[in-house]
C-alpha cells in the first residue's frame, strides 16, 4: 500500500514515515503544498496524509484542488485545534478523516487502514437532502434553486446536519463537530442556531424539515 505524506516538519515526517514503512507501507514524503498537489495528481496512492500549514499553498487549498480535479484518493488531514481551521472545514472541502496534533501513531495507523479498506469511490460534489443542496466547493446553499445566505457557523451546522440527514444528533455531538474545543459556553447555543436555520431553510418555503426531539437532539429530514 502506498501513502503520500505531505508534511513540512522534518522530524515528524521522519517519525511517521519510519513507522509506516515498518508496518509495510510504501511512503513518499514531500514538504510543501505545491509539490504535494503535483504528487497527488501525478501518482496513484492508497491514501494521503496532508498537513494544513504548508509552504507554497496550505493543505486545504491542496485538498480543494484535488477534489476539483476529481482526485478521490482518501485524505487524512492533520489539523491543529488552535489553528485557523478545524475538522468542519476539513470535511466541508472533501477530507475523509482528520487527526489533531499531537497524535498517537497507533491511532494514525488505525485511521489509515480504515481509509485504505474503504478505498476511493467517486463521490458527489454536492450534498443533497431533498430540495436542499449544499456546494462545499463554493460554500453555497440553495433550496429548490433559491439561494440561501448563511453565516459561517450556520453553514457549518447545516453541513453537519446534512451529512447526518435522517439521524438524530445530540447537542453534544453538534458542539463536538461544529464548535471548537475552546468553546466553554452553554449548550443552549445549539438551540439558538437551530432556530436561525429554521428561519432560513424552512419558514420561507412553508416547510418543516428541521425537527427537535426533546431530550434527544435534532434531525434534518428531506422535504420530498
Amino acid at each position: 500500500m502506498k501513502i503520500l505524506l505531505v508534511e513540512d516538519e522534518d522530524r515528524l515526517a521522519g517519525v511517521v514515515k519510519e513507522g509506516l514503512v515498518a508496518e509495510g507501507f510504501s511512503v513518499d514524503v514531500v514538504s510543501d503544498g505545491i509539490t504535494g498537489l503535483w504528487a497527488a495528481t501525478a501518482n496513484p496512492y492508497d491514501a494521503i496524509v496532508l498537513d494544513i500549514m504548508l509552504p507554497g499553498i496550505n493543505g486545504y487549498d491542496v485538498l480543494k484542488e484535488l477534489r476539483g480535479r476529481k482526485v478521490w484518493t482518501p485524505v487524512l488531514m492533520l489539523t491543529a485545534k488552535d489553528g485557523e481551521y478545524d475538522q468542519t472545514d476539513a470535511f466541508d472541502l472533501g477530507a475523509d478523516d482528520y487527526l489533531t496534533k499531537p497524535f498517537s501513531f497507533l491511532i494514525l495507523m488505525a485511521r489509515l487502514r480504515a481509509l485504505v479498506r474503504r478505498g476511493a469511490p467517486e463521490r458527489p460534489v454536492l450534498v443533497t437532502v431533498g430540495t436542499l443542496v449544499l456546494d462545499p466547493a463554493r460554500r453555497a446553499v440553495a433550496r429548490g434553486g433559491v439561494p440561501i445566505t448563511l453565516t459561517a457557523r450556520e453553514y457549518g451546522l447545516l453541513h453537519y446536519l446534512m451529512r447526518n440527514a435522517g439521524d438524530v444528533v445530540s447537542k453534544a455531538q453538534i458542539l463536538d463537530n461544529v464548535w471548537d474545543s475552546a468553546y466553554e459556553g452553554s449548550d443552549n447555543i445549539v438551540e439558538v442556531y437551530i432556530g436561525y436555520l429554521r428561519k432560513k431553510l424552512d419558514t420561507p418555503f412553508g416547510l418543516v424539515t428541521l425537527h427537535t426531539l426533546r431530550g434527544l437532539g435534532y434531525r434534518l429530514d428531506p422535504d420530498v
Side-chain angles (χ1 to χ4, degrees):
M1 292 180 284
K2 192 171 186 179
I3 304 295
L4 174 63
L5 172 61
V6 189
E7 171 60 64
D8 67 325
E9 295 181 35
D10 291 341
R11 182 177 177 277
L12 176 60
V15 170
V16 171
K17 179 178 180 178
E18 182 179 354
L20 291 175
V21 169
E23 292 290 332
F25 289 89
S26 172
V27 184
D28 289 342
V29 179
V30 298
S31 59
D32 67 89
I34 295 172
T35 307
L37 177 60
W38 172 84
T41 53
N43 303 287
Y45 291 99
D46 294 290
I48 299 169
V49 179
L50 180 61
D51 191 24
I52 296 175
M53 302 305 294
L54 295 167
I57 55 176
N58 69 45
Y60 281 96
D61 288 336
V62 172
L63 177 61
K64 184 176 180 180
E65 186 66 24
L66 287 177
R67 296 314 189 220
R69 297 184 189 184
K70 301 188 184 302
V71 176
W72 305 114
T73 306
V75 173
L76 186 152
M77 301 294 296
L78 301 180
T79 73
K81 272 296 190 179
D82 58 351
E84 181 181 356
Y85 302 97
D86 60 22
Q87 64 266 35
T88 303
D89 299 281
F91 290 132
D92 285 351
L93 293 174
D96 298 272
D97 204 350
Y98 74 95
L99 273 180
T100 303
K101 294 181 178 180
F103 54 84
S104 160
F105 180 75
L106 292 178
I107 297 298
L108 173 66
M109 280 301 311
R111 299 287 185 85
L112 277 178
R113 291 191 187 281
L115 290 184
V116 171
R117 281 197 301 271
R118 291 204 300 264
E122 184 169 337
R123 67 201 76 185
V125 174
L126 303 179
V127 182
T128 302
V129 178
T131 60
L132 191 62
V133 179
L134 183 147
D135 183 345
R138 297 190 301 117
R139 298 183 74 86
V141 176
R143 186 183 285 283
V146 179
I148 299 172
T149 301
L150 301 178
T151 66
R153 185 69 72 190
E154 290 167 353
Y155 174 88
L157 175 55
L158 177 61
H159 198 183
Y160 180 71
L161 291 169
M162 291 181 73
R163 292 201 311 268
N164 294 278
D167 296 333
V168 178
V169 292
S170 67
K171 284 184 178 180
Q173 289 174 307
I174 291 173
L175 285 173
D176 284 345
N177 287 275
V178 180
W179 273 258
D180 60 42
S181 61
Y183 178 74
E184 297 179 350
S186 169
D187 63 1
N188 287 336
I189 191 68
V190 174
E191 186 175 342
V192 171
Y193 273 85
I194 289 289
Y196 292 159
L197 283 183
R198 281 200 182 102
K199 290 178 181 178
K200 294 183 177 183
L201 303 177
D202 283 352
T203 303
F205 302 92
L207 299 171
V208 180
T209 64
L210 185 48
H211 304 277
T212 299
L213 289 85
R214 295 199 178 278
L216 297 175
Y218 307 92
R219 187 185 71 234
L220 178 67
D221 290 332
D223 56 304
V224 292

